[in-house]
Amino acid sequence: MLEQTYLEKDELQKLVDIAFAGCSKGRVPEARTVFAKILEAVPGYIPAKVGLAFTHVVVDDFPPADEMLTDLLGEDPDNDDARGFLVLSKFLQKDGDAVDALMGEFRDHDSAGYRLASSLNDVTR
């Protein structure tokens, strides 16, 4: 549940989307700032936590990304978005055993995280 904040859920999601777009355009420091500011306003906002981890994946800074995503999965084992980005991280690290193990843990095969992970898995075949 979201804590009380001056931002509405749809506004938070728009900020998350902007930060993810920033990552795709190479604006990683700015994206990190946006995710961090969201987490200052709403410390438990999972999409911002996932996004902050992603800012490490996109610059091949895998240890903090893996730690953040693993922690998120420890808190919420059903979070297929975190699992999908962890698969991406392990894929980029060429850790096929971890990718295979994580692929078996998805809860929802219609989730965006699963679609991301399975598209990577298709690339390796």
Side-chain angles (χ1 to χ4, degrees), residues 43-65:
Y45 195 58
I46 300 298
K49 289 182 176 182
V50 171
L52 191 57
F54 181 67
T55 66
H56 290 277
V57 172
V58 298
V59 294
D60 297 341
D61 186 17
F62 301 115

Side-chain angles (χ1 to χ4, degrees), residues 57-77:
V57 172
V58 298
V59 294
D60 297 341
D61 186 17
F62 301 115
D66 292 355
E67 182 179 344
M68 286 184 239
L69 294 166
T70 300
D71 288 349
L72 279 169
L73 288 169
E75 295 170 23
D76 180 9

